[in-house]
Amino acid sequence: MKLFLDTANITEIEQAQAMGVLDGVTTNPTLLAKEGRDPVQVVQEICEILEGPVNAEVISTDCEGMLKEARQWAKLSENIVVKIPMTREGMKAVKKLSEEEIPTNVTLVFSPSQALIAAKAGAAYVSPFVGRLDDRSEDGMQLAAQIIQIFNNYGFGTEVLVASVRHPMHVVEAALMGADIATMPYAVFEKLFEHPLTDLGLQQFLADWGKLKR
Ligand code: G3P
């Protein structure tokens, strides 16, 4: 399974990249706004750090506007994947962009029927927002599982990108069910490395080695 960072923060991306296991980055308007500087410049810098997919989202709500923005994002780098919201206008744009070979990630997916429509429109990725469903006492990972099953049933090439990840168990469950990608905040990425028994075990090994008379 591919691991993406869900951030527009350059320091976080550089730190994760240095670990050697970062496959891509997702941003959204909220994450880019948080950085407080030119979003195009930020996305450009991310594309220079990574070889993998870098997701940048449109903010238009009509098909023509989305197409214009998507083509602009795509000009920035070969890494760009354009995030398009799961709306009727969005699906018209996805269809057109897939004909132009501009890869799209259909975002704000909260139901299996939405994912089916996105795949049929030609999306390269769909993003079920699992954490936001969990926040409403719904089962986000069940949605991811249903989408994987639907795509497998019909051989859709659309990749399932588990998004709105809140904790490492979302990542583990995504991997167990065969999701293609999980995208997560840097804090969750860091936690994937950790276990207290690893730290204790290492301390013990080093202490025992220190006692050895050489
Ligand atoms: O970037 C899309 C998604 O991962 C957002 O997550 O934490 O705002 O629900 P969140």
Side-chain angles (χ1 to χ4, degrees):
M1 185 176 71
K2 287 171 269 190
L3 300 177
F4 284 17
L5 222 50
D6 195 28
T7 184
N9 185 275
I10 298 294
T11 307
E12 290 179 349
I13 294 166
E14 283 175 341
Q15 281 170 353
Q17 170 75 343
M19 307 287 188
V21 293
L22 183 65
D23 298 301
V25 166
T26 48
T27 68
N28 62 36
T30 304
L31 293 170
L32 282 165
K34 223 166 94 182
E35 296 308 302
R37 56 197 186 94
D38 176 17
V40 176
Q41 176 63 32
V42 173
V43 172
Q44 174 86 64
E45 288 173 26
I46 299 171
C47 290
E48 284 162 17
I49 298 169
L50 273 187
E51 279 183 20
V54 174
N55 287 247
E57 188 161 341
V58 298
I59 49 159
S60 297
T61 52
D62 63 301
C63 177
E64 277 315 308
M66 288 182 196
L67 289 174
K68 199 170 153 207
E69 280 186 64
R71 290 170 188 142
Q72 276 164 357
W73 277 128
K75 270 192 211 146
L76 208 60
S77 164
E78 283 188 356
N79 313 28
I80 291 287
V81 172
V82 183
K83 282 175 85 174
I84 306 276
M86 177 60 226
T87 60
R88 288 172 179 79
E89 287 296 296
M91 293 314 95
K92 287 188 218 165
V94 166
K95 176 83 183 156
K96 185 85 182 76
L97 291 166
S98 83
E99 286 161 9
E100 295 177 23
E101 296 187 350
I102 294 177
T104 55
N105 171 5
V106 173
T107 187
L108 293 166
V109 167
F110 292 100
S111 79
S113 63
Q114 290 180 322
L116 175 62
I117 294 296
K120 287 181 72 71
Y125 307 86
V126 293
S127 291
F129 275 27
V130 299
R132 292 193 193 183
L133 282 171
D134 289 359
D135 291 345
R136 294 170 49 90
S137 305
E138 293 182 49
D139 189 342
M141 291 314 298
Q142 190 191 19
L143 169 63
Q146 287 171 335
I147 296 171
I148 291 167
Q149 186 182 334
I150 291 167
F151 288 5
N152 286 343
N153 285 350
Y154 297 99
F156 284 115
T158 305
E159 293 190 54
V160 180
L161 193 164
V162 173
S164 184
V165 158
R166 299 270 191 264
H167 48 69
M169 280 313 290
H170 275 150
V171 181
V172 172
E173 285 173 44
L176 284 170
M177 63 180 60
D180 299 286
I181 304 155
T183 189
M184 67 210 75
Y186 186 72
V188 175
F189 178 82
E190 279 267 271
K191 285 183 186 152
L192 299 181
F193 290 76
E194 293 167 8
H195 197 287
L197 289 178
T198 306
D199 300 338
L200 280 172
L202 184 58
Q203 270 175 26
Q204 187 68 55
F205 285 153
L206 295 179
D208 291 343
W209 188 255
K211 288 180 212 153
L212 184 66
K213 301 223 181 329
R214 279 167 291 156

